[in-house]
Amino acid sequence: MVCAPLAAKKLHSLFQKPKAISCGLVTPTFQAFFHSYIVGDKPILVSYSISIRYSVRASANLCTAYLFIPTNNVIEQVRDFIHSALYDPKHGYFSQRSRSVGVLERSIKFDQLEGRQAYMKYLDKIYKQSDMAWFTPVELYKPWYAHGIAEAILRTADLSVPLKIYEIGGGSGTCAKGIMDYMMLNAPSRVYNNMTYTSVEISPSLAETQRETVGDIHSRLSKFKVECRDAADRSGWGDAEEQPSWVIMLEVLDNLPHDLVYSENQVSPWMEVWVEKQNDRESLSELYRPLQDPLIKRCIEIMELNDNLTAPSSSSSKAKGIWSKVFPKPRRSWLPTGCLKLLEALHGALPKMSLIASDFSYLPDVKIPGERAPLVSTKKDGHSSDYDSYLDAKGDADIFFPTDFLLLERMDHYCSGWLKLHGDSSKQGKKRRTITLDSSLFMEEFGLPTKTRTKDGYNPLLDDFKNTKFYLSVPTHNIK
């Protein structure tokens, strides 16, 4: 995905605070046709007799509440709906399209391309030939993209202990192969000889692809293994590992399930959004309930931490209340609860982990309303088309979200035990050192960008993917 350039940042030191990313809020209602089989492996039946639902009259932008009596309709949380649409073993996007992650037969020879036009023509050709959904940056710029990540690890890791690397959602295995090859050529021999690389992959087909990609050289295969499981499930990790380790997540955060919350206006409390399948029709609708889910409540508390630290004055609260009555504006906010659950599992299982994550900082032309709203897109014959509603996803579309890197840092600190909510003294962790970098700046610092330069000087590694960033986080004993 190629987007308009972002302003470059200066790298003053290896670790610094990221800048905030803000988004607007819009709120229409949804209704879409959908097959019932995709609505969760374990459907939840409504267990109460009366619930409050809301509809929005677009002409006046007003919210109207009414009572609804369900009759054993099937409902599920938005995060479960998204998880099923993407990962259901039979009908999910990554199951139906086992080749949804593109694999190039050979590396692109950038020095033989004239410039951007030739590069884009080449991309169009390989997309049409393979009919793949997406080629990730680590695949397009192999092996150089993975080499940059490996160099960042080498500069920061404690090499006095065996190097342990975990990759979450390893795709085609291109990143693992590139990192292990770089370590073999550039790290001390003892580092490569003693290193282990574990891919935690939820897709069985992609897990097999990774074994094939990495296993073409036996020395790699002896250090590499794939565990086919959900990395966000803490039980799959076993006992906590006290040794230092590295965790890599490339384009993982964007496909993690999210929850959706709704508020009638600027001062009304948030409500959980649930997806409802009525037994007498094939359409889906949204159901609104008071906040009860612990994961959603923790995520909201982390998001609103700054507001909690500085309580508004009574006069400003009164003015805000008057403004919301005169100009009521419904709000919708997408919560990265899947990311929070994953970070809780990782910090619980790997308390001394260092983290490298790369993902989209924003997405262009998003049609779905709400803060941090996703793109729901499908691709065929090299051409993509976007849906107007997340409820349109029937296992034939990718659902991917932008990453709020400031919020990611805050959740990282919370899950490590340093950031406490509401005076919670049960967490006694240390603050982590973190940095968020534009992808181009990361590659200029750690990679070899000369390897991806075309004849006229155009460099897609630096000039494209301007809407992606890297997040680095390492543990520290500095408690200040």
Side-chain angles (χ1 to χ4, degrees):
M1 184 175 296
V2 182
C3 298
L6 298 175
K9 293 182 180 180
K10 292 185 178 180
L11 180 60
H12 297 293
S13 61
L14 184 57
F15 300 102
Q16 64 184 20
K17 299 289 185 182
K19 294 182 179 179
I21 303 172
S22 60
C23 303
L25 301 176
V26 219
T27 328
T29 55
F30 296 112
Q31 192 164 17
F33 292 99
F34 193 82
H35 297 294
S36 60
Y37 60 70
I38 201 67
V39 187
D41 294 328
K42 297 180 180 179
I44 306 171
L45 296 181
V46 179
S47 59
Y48 50 91
S49 58
I50 297 179
S51 62
I52 297 179
R53 300 182 64 189
Y54 294 92
S55 64
V56 179
R57 293 187 297 173
S59 59
N61 201 27
L62 298 176
C63 295
T64 305
Y66 61 91
L67 295 179
F68 174 76
I69 304 177
T71 56
N72 285 339
N73 294 330
V74 180
I75 67 169
E76 63 180 348
Q77 289 178 290
V78 172
R79 66 171 179 261
D80 296 324
F81 172 84
I82 292 174
H83 188 278
S84 296
L86 292 176
Y87 302 111
D88 182 272
K90 292 183 179 180
H91 307 291
Y93 174 75
F94 290 108
S95 300
Q96 291 197 68
R97 297 195 175 190
S98 59
R99 300 172 71 238
S100 58
V101 179
V103 180
L104 294 176
E105 293 184 2
R106 60 185 64 88
S107 300
I108 300 175
K109 296 180 179 180
F110 294 94
D111 59 353
Q112 296 182 9
L113 298 174
E114 288 296 332
R116 187 178 190 277
Q117 185 175 359
Y119 171 70
M120 298 305 294
K121 184 177 180 181
Y122 181 82
L123 283 188
D124 183 65
K125 178 182 177 181
I126 62 176
Y127 268 117
K128 289 181 178 179
Q129 286 179 344
S130 58
D131 195 25
M132 294 296 180
W134 316 107
F135 284 101
T136 60
V138 73
E139 190 69 32
L140 291 175
Y141 310 126
K142 67 180 179 184
W144 316 116
Y145 196 91
H147 286 184
I149 296 171
E151 175 62 21
I153 292 175
L154 271 183
R155 290 194 202 176
T156 315
D158 180 3
L159 300 181
S160 65
V161 297
L163 180 61
K164 286 190 173 184
I165 299 177
Y166 295 91
E167 184 178 2
I168 311 300
S172 63
T174 298
C175 182
K177 178 180 178 179
I179 288 179
M180 296 179 75
D181 286 350
Y182 189 88
M183 295 298 180
M184 180 176 61
L185 296 173
N186 297 278
S189 57
R190 59 178 175 79
V191 173
Y192 178 73
N193 293 335
N194 295 322
M195 76 173 292
T196 59
Y197 198 112
T198 303
S199 174
V200 182
E201 175 60 57
I202 195 171
S203 168
S205 59
L206 288 177
E208 185 58 35
T209 300
Q210 292 168 29
R211 294 188 185 97
E212 295 173 357
T213 300
V214 177
D216 61 348
I217 296 180
H218 183 71
S219 65
R220 282 200 227 105
L221 195 58
S222 63
K223 308 174 191 305
F224 177 80
K225 66 177 179 178
V226 181
E227 296 180 0
C228 194
R229 58 184 176 86
D230 185 355
D233 183 355
R234 175 64 181 87
S235 63
W237 290 94
D239 296 335
E241 186 177 291
E242 295 300 330
Q243 292 183 340
S245 61
W246 281 84
V247 174
I248 300 172
M249 298 190 295
L250 305 181
E251 289 77 52
V252 169
L253 300 176
D254 60 355
N255 281 135
L256 290 179
H258 282 53
D259 274 290
L260 179 61
V261 291
Y262 169 84
S263 176
E264 183 179 358
N265 55 50
Q266 297 91 317
V267 295
S268 296
W270 289 110
M271 302 186 74
E272 299 174 8
V273 179
W274 289 61
V275 177
E276 179 184 26
K277 169 65 172 65
Q278 298 185 31
N279 291 332
D280 58 347
R281 62 181 64 181
E282 286 297 316
S283 61
L284 293 178
S285 58
E286 290 184 342
L287 181 70
Y288 304 93
R289 301 171 62 177
L291 286 183
Q292 294 179 340
D293 182 77
L295 187 60
I296 292 178
K297 292 172 73 173
R298 286 201 303 276
C299 196
I300 291 178
E301 288 176 336
I302 294 171
M303 289 172 54
E304 297 179 345
L305 181 66
N306 287 343
D307 295 335
N308 294 333
L309 292 177
T310 307
S313 64
S314 57
S315 58
S316 62
S317 298
K318 185 175 181 181
K320 187 176 181 181
I322 295 174
W323 183 264
S324 66
K325 292 179 180 179
V326 178
F327 301 103
K329 182 181 180 181
R331 299 182 296 164
R332 297 170 74 90
S333 181
W334 291 86
L335 308 181
T337 47
C339 176
L340 178 57
K341 184 179 178 182
L342 176 59
L343 288 176
E344 288 177 340
L346 291 175
H347 279 288
L350 308 170
K352 295 183 179 179
M353 75 162 181
S354 297
L355 174 65
I356 295 182
S358 175
D359 230 303
F360 299 103
S361 57
Y362 71 89
L363 297 172
D365 305 321
V366 175
K367 299 179 180 179
I368 296 171
E371 188 176 5
R372 293 175 295 274
L375 267 178
V376 180
S377 183
T378 187
K379 185 179 287 289
K380 185 177 182 180
D381 299 327
H383 300 285
S384 61
S385 58
D386 300 337
Y387 294 159
D388 295 327
S389 168
Y390 71 98
L391 296 177
D392 288 336
K394 305 176 180 68
D396 62 343
D398 195 0
I399 306 173
F400 51 104
F401 295 81
T403 296
D404 183 336
F405 282 87
L406 180 61
L407 179 56
L408 173 63
E409 180 193 42
R410 195 175 296 171
M411 290 192 299
D412 185 26
H413 285 315
Y414 168 75
C415 294
S416 70
W418 174 72
L419 186 62
K420 303 175 181 64
L421 299 178
H422 303 301
D424 180 9
S425 59
S426 62
K427 293 179 173 291
Q428 300 295 332
K430 310 282 187 180
K431 186 176 183 180
R432 297 172 65 83
R433 290 186 295 166
T434 64
I435 182 174
T436 299
L437 299 172
D438 289 341
S439 293
S440 58
L441 187 54
F442 178 91
M443 288 300 168
E444 286 178 335
E445 178 69 22
F446 300 110
L448 293 170
T450 57
K451 299 293 185 180
T452 55
R453 185 180 298 154
T454 61
K455 290 181 180 180
D456 66 356
Y458 165 70
N459 193 328
L461 177 64
L462 304 181
D463 300 333
D464 293 351
F465 289 96
K466 289 293 187 179
N467 60 335
T468 63
K469 295 180 183 292
F470 273 85
Y471 175 75
L472 286 77
S473 170
V474 301
T476 177
H477 295 293
N478 181 7
I479 61 175
K480 295 184 179 180

